[in-house]
Amino acid sequence: MLLHIQFDSETPIYQQVKDQIIRGIALGELKLGEKLPSVRQLAADIGINLHTVNKVYNQLKSEGWVVIHRKSGVMINPHLNLNQSSEALEELDDLLKNITAESFLKGISKDEFITLVERNYDRYNMRESE
Amino acid sequence: MLLHIQFDSETPIYQQVKDQIIRGIALGELKLGEKLPSVRQLAADIGINLHTVNKVYNQLKSEGWVVIHRKSGVMINPHLNLNQSSEALEELDDLLKNITAESFLKGISKDEFITLVERNYDRYNMRESE
DNA sequence: ATACTTGTTATATATATCATATAACAGAGC
DNA sequence: GCTCTGTTATATGATATATATAACAAGTAT
């Protein structure tokens, strides 16, 4: 799996890496139980610091996306459960409050917005048919 | 229009103020051409610094949401055009790439996601019927 | 003309975040 | 024992966020 970092972005590097790993899981590019590169390896590959990668891995661990073993390293959590929490829905709605408002004012219709959501979601459910 | 600031939030104060003003426009709570409080007044109301409000107003001006006159102060841009730019769609899609992926993995279905989008959007189109 | 209010600019300070660098530590496996 | 793993410690620098105080400049009204 390839990571593309924009070093001139307002979005912090660690956030970009984190986002792309989570998206990689959803897309099926990263399988459950798949091993991730070591902190030193990934840092060297991307051209960033070891600690930045370590920060990513620790946050991913705190949020349950990966598990870390002492020697074997980091792997995607093999028991990722898609159990929906009420908090997740509330957090999403808080996000959408701002995003939909700005999108609406920028002339993006409800249907256009939903089409984008569908096109993204349809990339995730493909996993059974692979 | 009331602003609610969470001082313990990870989201910067200026960002919260900015988001709520933009949302206020979409909801119709702030009318086009409506005058906003002076930087000193709003700062005092919320209990923050004058410069934080000034930062908000300047960013809103740069992005076309408000116009600023030398003495009359800041008002919602009376000529806010909802002309859709291709950039706006691309930016939205970039946002949705990450948000949908994480939502999917947290067990939020496509239909649930879309329902939230619709519920938000339906609050904006009401303006003609007021 | 004077006073007041407006946004604006200049300076300074404090704190937190982001990212890097170097080094050393501790556990697990060969 | 050696090597690879994440981890921790310490330091440095740049940038972002927020505050504080003060002064400036342009409109508006008295």
Side-chain angles (χ1 to χ4, degrees), chain B residues 12-26:
Chain B
I13 295 174
Y14 84 92
Q15 189 66 53
Q16 295 183 47
V17 175
K18 199 176 156 187
D19 286 343
Q20 289 180 39
I21 289 177
I22 292 176
R23 184 140 200 273
I25 303 175

Side-chain angles (χ1 to χ4, degrees), chain A residues 101-107, chain B residues 18 21-23 25-26 31-34 36 56-68 74-82:
Chain A
E102 186 158 340
S103 296
F104 166 71
L105 291 174
K106 284 183 175 172
Chain B
K18 199 176 156 187
I21 289 177
I22 292 176
R23 184 140 200 273
I25 303 175
K31 308 291 180 185
L32 301 192
E34 181 170 341
L36 294 179
V56 172
Y57 282 174
N58 268 295
Q59 290 195 6
L60 289 173
K61 174 189 170 192
S62 299
E63 297 165 18
W65 302 110
V66 302
V67 292
I68 302 181
V74 180
M75 65 163 64
I76 307 298
N77 188 345
H79 310 103
L80 251 189
N81 58 334
L82 286 71

Side-chain angles (χ1 to χ4, degrees), chain A residues 35-48 50 53 57:
Chain A
K35 190 178 175 308
L36 293 180
S38 74
V39 288
R40 290 172 180 81
Q41 184 62 52
L42 185 53
D45 288 349
I46 306 180
I48 63 177
L50 167 160
V53 177
Y57 282 175

Side-chain angles (χ1 to χ4, degrees), chain B residues 21-74:
Chain B
I21 289 177
I22 292 176
R23 184 140 200 273
I25 303 175
L27 288 171
E29 297 177 3
L30 292 172
K31 308 291 180 185
L32 301 192
E34 181 170 341
K35 190 177 175 307
L36 294 179
S38 74
V39 289
R40 290 172 180 82
Q41 184 64 53
L42 184 52
D45 288 349
I46 307 181
I48 62 178
N49 192 274
L50 166 162
H51 292 102
T52 306
V53 176
N54 192 244
K55 182 177 185 176
V56 172
Y57 282 174
N58 268 295
Q59 290 195 6
L60 289 173
K61 174 189 170 192
S62 299
E63 297 165 18
W65 302 110
V66 302
V67 292
I68 302 181
H69 287 95
R70 191 62 204 186
K71 170 62 181 173
S72 56
V74 180

Side-chain angles (χ1 to χ4, degrees), chain A residues 38-40 51 54 58 68 70-71 73:
Chain A
S38 74
V39 288
R40 290 172 180 81
H51 292 103
N54 193 245
N58 268 294
I68 304 182
R70 191 63 203 184
K71 170 61 181 171

Side-chain angles (χ1 to χ4, degrees), chain A residues 1 8 10 13 20 26 40 54 71 78 82 89 97 104 107 124-125:
Chain A
M1 185 204 184
D8 60 340
E10 297 173 11
I13 296 174
Q20 289 180 40
R40 290 172 180 81
N54 193 245
K71 170 61 181 171
L82 286 70
L89 261 183
K97 280 192 179 92
F104 166 71
Y124 310 139
N125 291 320

